[in-house]
Amino acid sequence: MSATSNDVNDDVLKATKTYRQQRRHVIALYLLALLVMMVLFGWLLSEQYRQEIEAAESRITARANVVAEWAKGVFAQSGQALFGLAEMLTLQGMPDSDNAQALQRSLENLTLYVPMVDEIAVLSAEGRVMASGRSSRRAGADISDTTLFNAFKQAGQEELITPLYWSSSDQRYYLYHGRRLETSSGEFAGVVISSIVPEVFADALEQMSVYDGESIALVDPGLKFIARYPTPEKPFSIGSQIESPETAEWLTRGESTWSINIDSPIDGRKRLFRMLRVGEYPMLAVVGVDLHELLSAWRQRALILMLVTAVIALLGAWGARHYLNRLALSHQLRQRIEEREQARAEAQIAAAAFQTHLGILITDPQGIILKVNETFSRITGYSEAEIVGNNPRMFSSGLQNAAFYRRLWKRVIKTGNWEGEIWNQRKNGELFPEWLTISAVYSVEGTLTHYVATMSDISERKAAEQEIHQLAFYDTLTGLANRRLFMDRIGNALKELQRHQRCGALLFIDIDNFKQINDTLGHYAGDQVLQSVARRMGQMLRDTDTLARLGSDEFAVLIEGVDSNYAQTTRLAERIAHKLLATLNESITLAEESITVTGSIGIAIMASNEYGVDDYLQQVDMALFQAKNNGRHGVCFFDPSMQAALLAHVKLEADLRQAQASQQWQLYYQPQVDHHGVITGVEALLRWHHPERGIVSPGDFIPLLESNELINDVGEWVLEDACYQLARWAQHPQLSKLTISVNISPLQFRDEQFLARVEGVFARTQAPLQRLKLEVTESLFVEARDDARDKMLALKARGVRFSLDDFGTGYSSLAYLAQLPLDQLKIDQSFVQQVLESQANAAIVESTIALAESLNLEVIAEGVETKAQQAWLLAHDCHAYQGYLFGRPVTAEAIERLITGA
């Protein structure tokens, strides 16, 4: 009895000691978890702060690069104008007093065509103003004593751009751009100078969208204020001196870019600035972001994390206290029932374990299998009779080497268990992944008695992980890398460029007119084309190149690992691009159809780590846009001038949307005459009076109207204004017989609301419709010819007449001429102006006149500029004309004066 009592007391003492150790462990674990959580949250906040700052730096760096490139484009336009003027003066010589006025007019025209430049002037070798592009008020002014003029005359400067320069005569600041003039013998002959007003840059910055708290500014090297958006409040204005010792110190170091975190000298707000020299020009691009607004979200997250930390700490303390109470109760109960229940408890556990969904295997100390459960047999395919008595090596897949198993068993011996992922083999030879746990079982005396292994088949989980990875990083249709993976690899390529100076190239490929394939053959055929294109292009590329599908019919290629030679990288990219175009051009067989596709490719060379991912993506996108504009099926490299052109295009498009609201449209009318020279009608021509650019060429804004769908609204305005003019002329005896021809765009004609819009115009204007002539082009009838014919017949019923414009320059077809309700053919001016020099053009015009007579159609020739052309046309039975010989486009009032003589 005493021996048994001693054994029980020993067990009680051991249990008490274990209980106290558990209490200490629980408290220590709680404090450790609390410390780890605080460290983790602190690290997370610091990492998020760093990421916010880095993201802001990347964004403002890209913005600074765009502003700098645009400013370079402004100076480049001025430089091109001065270079051309200097070349002309060098060839023709400096003008004398007799032809100074001709030079004056040339400078005025040149100033109009260079909208970024305020004035262009020519200085003599003595420093006097010979002519100016704005007015003659400066002629004769003497500026020979200025530093700018002496830099060219005495220092021999060839070209010079000044910082902000105060003009005492104009009482305002300019940036002057000058170029030296020399005689044919190399002697100093004078200077051509352009003046650029700082407001040009301010207007451009206002067109750029900025984020909250972001500012964009331009200053000169003397830290004089040029422009900023948002516009600063007074006292800062153009020419104001900016006090920034840090910036002045950076300028003295001669570095090209610089980032700093300081209080803004303009608005006093704490900002992160990125400063960039604008090439070799006397200008700095400065982009800043307000740190208070930038970090507002980060501060909110910090507050939330602190609250979460406090809540978790309180919940953890309550949970630890609750656990300790339960632990104490458990200790008391265990002391009383441990001996009585121990044997029975071990026997339910064993039975339950063998009923689990996990596979279980038990071996002796030598590793011989003693028992397995049904789950283990179901996973491996072996029955229990086939397994018992063997070594677990029978399941080995061969994918793990001997060193792996040595580390595994070393861990089991040292700690008593091991768990991890391992590949084994089923009875049918199939390899599968499993999660395996091995535990060593010891007796009370500490002797090893068994090994117990539990395993679960994780094949489905691994397959799901693979599918998730495939969906996340690869295109489902073609199997190529998707945009997310492509962007990640561009980032890695830029890191390689920074570390090892290895250039790379980006190619964007767009399938030309892919929408037509979907519309005509169906989307399934379109998908087959995309798969075939992806497969072919992949065969043309190296294993180190990345081919991706970015969306729809847009593909991209990343070429990596090229050395630092820019020219070699360019040649490689061009060679690969032409190989891709060639393989695209091979025919593709779809069921019984055989089609051929073409592509357009834009290329940007990654050779400078000054640009980020967004910069290079913007560059290659611009190059692709230019390639498509050049006529498709071609290759175009990015050029910095594209950015300047894009900004100008965006500015023009923004102005275009304000033109109608600001009443900037006006109709001009060009006379149409008979063979006696009598005006029988006019053609209405749209003109845009821009408040800054003056008259904008229709060739510049008509394509913009058609591309952004403004053509419907503007076309309706043109028709309505012309109809009102018809109604007014109908009240005048000498003007009532005039007809007005109005051009109708194919896009406008195809609009579903076209007839409703036209009927509305007719109702409002009450114009005499028998005097209205609508001019359409041949491209209108390429698609939906029946729809066009139905609309024309509906308008013909109202008395409207139709003229086919530019006949012979498009998809001419005798079939549609016979079917459409036309009244007149208009011979294009490209044929008319060559009838005397080209037999082929003369034959075309003669055939057109004969064709019109056979179809009982009127015929009119446009572009008639000489009496000889008119005589030839009259001799060949063309009795109606339009062209500069009879009058240029003028206002309605001028037409009225021309006819009435009033």
Side-chain angles (χ1 to χ4, degrees):
M1 291 293 293
S2 60
T4 303
S5 177
N6 288 337
D7 290 340
V8 172
N9 289 335
D10 290 339
D11 291 339
V12 171
L13 290 175
K14 290 180 181 179
T16 301
K17 182 179 179 181
T18 301
Y19 164 70
R20 291 174 178 172
Q21 288 178 343
Q22 289 177 330
R23 280 180 57 88
R24 289 194 295 270
H25 290 166
V26 169
I27 295 173
L29 183 61
Y30 167 73
L31 294 176
L32 178 62
L34 188 61
L35 177 62
V36 169
M37 180 181 65
M38 294 176 67
V39 170
L40 178 62
F41 283 0
W43 172 83
L44 181 62
L45 286 174
S46 65
E47 189 67 12
Q48 290 179 346
Y49 179 89
R50 181 185 63 80
Q51 292 175 357
E52 292 280 2
I53 296 298
E54 288 181 354
E57 285 185 339
S58 176
R59 188 172 66 246
I60 64 177
T61 297
R63 185 61 62 90
N65 287 329
V66 171
V67 174
E69 291 299 330
W70 178 86
K72 290 179 185 178
V74 173
F75 290 123
Q77 288 187 29
S78 173
Q80 290 174 2
L82 294 182
F83 177 81
L85 181 58
E87 288 293 307
M88 181 191 74
L89 292 174
T90 300
L91 293 174
Q92 299 179 359
M94 297 294 285
D96 52 23
S97 58
D98 294 333
N99 54 12
Q101 291 184 351
L103 177 60
Q104 174 74 27
R105 289 193 297 271
S106 297
L107 293 181
E108 290 174 353
N109 292 332
L110 183 57
T111 303
L112 288 175
Y113 283 104
V114 187
M116 299 298 183
V117 175
D118 182 68
E119 180 181 5
I120 299 177
V122 178
L123 308 181
S124 68
E126 293 74 30
R128 292 187 177 277
V129 178
M130 301 184 67
S132 167
R134 282 298 179 195
S135 66
S136 60
R137 61 184 178 85
R138 300 183 188 274
D142 187 356
I143 62 170
S144 60
D145 58 346
T146 61
T147 304
L148 175 62
F149 180 80
N150 288 320
F152 291 97
K153 182 174 183 179
Q154 299 177 6
Q157 188 79 33
E158 182 180 354
E159 186 175 4
L160 177 66
I161 299 176
T162 69
L164 278 181
Y165 194 100
W166 176 255
S167 172
S168 57
S169 60
D170 289 348
Q171 291 295 302
R172 65 184 298 178
Y173 280 98
Y174 289 100
L175 285 92
Y176 287 104
H177 189 174
R179 189 174 186 89
R180 176 187 175 97
L181 295 175
E182 293 181 349
T183 64
S184 58
S185 59
E187 296 178 355
F188 177 69
V191 182
V192 288
I193 293 180
S194 67
S195 56
I196 304 173
V197 293
E199 287 80 357
V200 169
F201 301 95
D203 293 342
L205 294 183
E206 288 181 0
Q207 303 303 316
M208 303 183 71
S209 60
V210 297
Y211 301 97
D212 290 339
E214 189 180 45
S215 67
I216 305 174
L218 294 171
V219 298
D220 73 0
L223 298 187
K224 288 184 179 179
F225 179 85
I226 297 177
R228 182 181 187 266
Y229 187 79
T231 305
E233 299 179 356
K234 293 184 178 179
F236 275 91
S237 60
I238 296 175
S240 296
Q241 186 66 43
I242 299 175
E243 299 297 330
S244 177
E246 300 89 346
T247 307
E249 181 182 354
W250 166 65
L251 289 171
T252 60
R253 293 197 300 267
E255 299 172 354
S256 60
T257 60
W258 185 49
S259 295
I260 188 173
N261 185 345
I262 58 173
D263 291 334
S264 170
I266 293 181
D267 56 15
R269 297 165 73 176
K270 191 75 171 180
R271 292 183 182 276
L272 173 64
F273 286 102
R274 181 68 173 181
M275 302 183 186
L276 175 68
R277 294 179 187 268
V278 181
E280 300 298 324
Y281 302 114
M283 184 175 288
L284 308 176
V286 183
V287 180
V289 61
D290 191 322
L291 287 175
H292 184 269
E293 292 189 14
L294 176 66
L295 298 176
S296 59
W298 178 84
R299 289 193 298 273
Q300 291 178 355
R301 291 195 295 271
L303 178 61
I304 292 173
L305 282 178
M306 287 190 288
L307 293 176
V308 170
T309 301
V311 171
I312 293 177
L314 292 174
L315 291 176
W318 177 84
R321 180 174 177 274
H322 181 69
Y323 180 80
L324 289 175
N325 290 337
R326 290 176 60 87
L327 193 63
L329 180 61
S330 175
H331 173 65
Q332 294 173 4
L333 293 175
R334 188 164 53 249
Q335 286 179 326
R336 296 171 184 170
I337 65 175
E338 184 175 1
E339 293 181 357
R340 184 180 60 184
E341 296 294 332
Q342 183 174 0
R344 187 176 66 183
E346 289 179 354
Q348 288 183 15
I349 291 174
F354 264 67
Q355 299 297 323
T356 185
H357 66 284
L358 297 175
I360 299 178
L361 177 146
I362 301 175
T363 73
D364 63 13
Q366 288 71 41
I368 302 302
I369 300 174
L370 301 176
K371 189 171 181 59
V372 296
N373 66 351
E374 291 184 5
T375 304
F376 190 94
S377 296
R378 185 171 65 252
I379 292 174
T380 62
Y382 290 97
S383 66
E384 184 176 12
E386 293 174 311
I387 298 174
V388 172
N390 291 303
N391 190 284
R393 284 193 294 270
M394 66 183 294
F395 308 113
S396 177
S397 65
L399 297 181
Q400 289 84 25
N401 56 25
F404 171 82
Y405 289 106
R406 284 196 297 269
R407 291 192 299 270
L408 183 156
W409 287 110
K410 184 178 180 180
R411 175 77 176 177
V412 172
I413 294 171
K414 182 178 180 180
T415 64
N417 61 76
W418 177 91
E419 67 175 342
E421 182 180 315
I422 192 172
W423 285 78
N424 273 339
Q425 188 176 38
R426 307 187 203 272
K427 181 179 180 180
N428 61 8
E430 178 188 354
L431 303 183
F432 70 99
E434 65 178 35
W435 189 261
L436 178 66
T437 300
I438 301 176
S439 300
V441 181
Y442 296 89
S443 66
V444 178
E445 294 79 14
T447 303
L448 177 65
T449 60
H450 301 87
Y451 288 112
V452 177
T454 62
M455 54 91 82
S456 60
D457 188 344
I458 59 173
S459 301
E460 293 183 359
R461 191 188 77 187
K462 296 288 287 186
E465 290 175 355
Q466 179 62 29
E467 183 177 1
I468 291 172
H469 181 270
Q470 188 73 17
L471 291 174
F473 294 104
Y474 292 89
D475 176 53
T476 55
L477 177 65
T478 63
L480 301 179
N482 61 11
R483 180 179 293 273
R484 180 178 179 183
L485 180 57
F486 190 71
M487 297 284 284
D488 183 63
R489 292 190 177 174
I490 295 177
N492 293 335
L494 290 181
K495 292 177 182 178
E496 283 293 308
L497 172 61
Q498 186 173 10
R499 285 194 295 262
H500 304 297
Q501 297 302 309
R502 292 182 176 175
C503 297
L506 275 179
L507 285 73
F508 273 12
I509 304 105
D510 185 83
I511 306 302
D512 297 333
N513 302 316
F514 180 73
K515 183 176 181 298
Q516 294 182 2
I517 298 177
N518 281 336
D519 293 342
T520 57
L521 302 180
H523 288 276
Y524 176 72
D527 289 346
Q528 288 182 300
V529 170
L530 292 176
Q531 290 170 337
S532 177
V533 166
R535 183 168 57 254
R536 290 181 177 182
M537 290 196 297
Q539 295 170 352
M540 293 293 104
L541 298 173
R542 306 171 304 174
D543 292 339
T544 56
D545 300 332
T546 299
L547 174 62
R549 181 184 178 222
L550 303 184
S552 186
D553 60 335
E554 297 178 357
F555 295 85
V557 176
L558 171 63
I559 302 172
E560 299 183 70
V562 188
D563 61 22
S564 58
N565 189 310
Y566 183 91
Q568 181 179 347
T569 305
T570 302
R571 289 193 296 270
L572 175 63
E574 185 174 20
R575 186 165 65 250
I576 291 176
H578 285 292
K579 287 172 60 179
L580 293 176
L581 285 183
T583 192
L584 282 177
N585 206 28
E586 297 175 3
S587 61
I588 300 173
T589 302
L590 301 176
E592 298 180 355
E593 296 283 344
S594 179
I595 65 172
T596 301
V597 299
T598 61
S600 301
I601 300 181
I603 304 176
I605 303 300
M606 299 189 298
S608 171
N609 52 27
E610 294 182 3
Y611 299 109
V613 174
D614 292 339
D615 298 316
Y616 282 116
L617 288 175
Q618 187 180 52
Q619 292 178 7
V620 72
D621 198 48
M622 288 182 185
L624 176 60
F625 178 79
Q626 188 61 44
K628 292 192 287 188
N629 274 0
N630 290 344
R632 303 180 182 272
H633 190 47
V635 177
C636 182
F637 281 83
F638 168 77
D639 185 89
S641 62
M642 291 180 182
Q643 287 183 312
L646 177 62
L647 289 175
H649 179 88
V650 171
K651 177 66 165 59
L652 185 63
E653 185 172 349
D655 294 345
L656 190 64
R657 295 183 180 276
Q658 300 298 322
Q660 188 165 353
S662 304
Q663 298 182 345
Q664 297 171 12
W665 299 124
Q666 184 178 0
L667 285 188
Y668 276 41
Y669 298 91
Q670 186 173 23
Q672 296 176 336
V673 303
D674 61 15
H675 62 283
H676 297 297
V678 177
I679 299 177
T680 60
V682 293
E683 180 180 1
L685 300 171
L686 181 62
R687 295 293 184 264
W688 180 12
H689 291 269
H690 193 281
E692 298 173 0
R693 301 171 183 261
I695 297 293
V696 181
S697 170
D700 291 336
F701 70 82
I702 293 296
L704 277 179
L705 288 175
E706 293 182 333
S707 66
N708 54 31
E709 297 183 356
L710 289 174
I711 190 66
N712 291 322
D713 293 334
V714 176
E716 182 178 356
W717 180 90
V718 170
L719 181 61
E720 184 167 339
D721 200 65
C723 286
Y724 273 124
Q725 190 62 59
L726 266 180
R728 287 191 291 269
W729 284 348
Q731 307 303 317
H732 195 290
Q734 293 178 273
L735 304 173
S736 61
K737 301 298 183 181
L738 289 180
T739 63
I740 293 183
S741 299
V742 179
N743 290 283
I744 302 295
S745 165
L747 293 177
Q748 184 183 356
F749 205 95
R750 295 186 187 119
D751 182 60
E752 294 180 355
Q753 301 300 317
F754 174 70
L755 285 180
R757 285 175 178 263
V758 172
E759 291 290 349
V761 170
F762 293 166
R764 291 191 295 272
T765 61
Q766 295 298 307
L769 300 184
Q770 68 275 13
R771 298 294 175 186
L772 177 63
K773 192 184 303 178
L774 300 185
E775 293 193 4
V776 295
T777 60
E778 295 172 316
S779 60
L780 172 65
F781 312 113
V782 175
E783 299 178 9
R785 184 187 306 172
D786 292 339
D787 178 68
R789 183 175 183 275
D790 293 341
K791 290 178 179 178
M792 291 174 68
L793 288 173
L795 294 175
K796 286 278 289 186
R798 297 292 307 275
V800 177
R801 303 169 66 198
F802 283 92
S803 175
L804 184 60
D805 194 11
D806 300 335
F807 179 72
T809 62
Y811 304 93
S812 301
S813 170
L814 298 181
Y816 73 72
L817 282 180
Q819 297 173 6
L820 295 176
L822 295 171
D823 300 281
Q824 185 183 65
L825 288 184
K826 196 170 192 181
I827 304 174
D828 187 69
Q829 60 182 347
S830 61
F831 300 127
V832 172
Q833 293 173 359
Q834 296 293 322
V835 293
L836 301 178
E837 293 85 9
S838 170
Q839 293 183 354
N841 282 288
I844 291 174
V845 174
E846 189 173 0
S847 300
T848 302
I849 296 172
L851 177 64
E853 291 179 352
S854 66
L855 294 175
N856 198 26
L857 297 177
E858 299 175 4
V859 64
I860 183 172
E862 65 175 348
V864 181
E865 298 182 353
T866 67
K867 292 282 188 181
Q869 291 171 352
Q870 182 193 11
W872 188 97
L873 290 166
L874 181 59
H876 290 81
D877 294 330
C878 178
H879 302 282
Y881 322 102
Q882 178 181 341
Y884 287 172
L885 177 61
F886 311 103
R888 294 176 178 268
V890 293
T891 62
E893 292 79 8
I895 291 290
E896 293 169 1
R897 288 193 299 269
L898 187 63
I899 296 177
T900 63

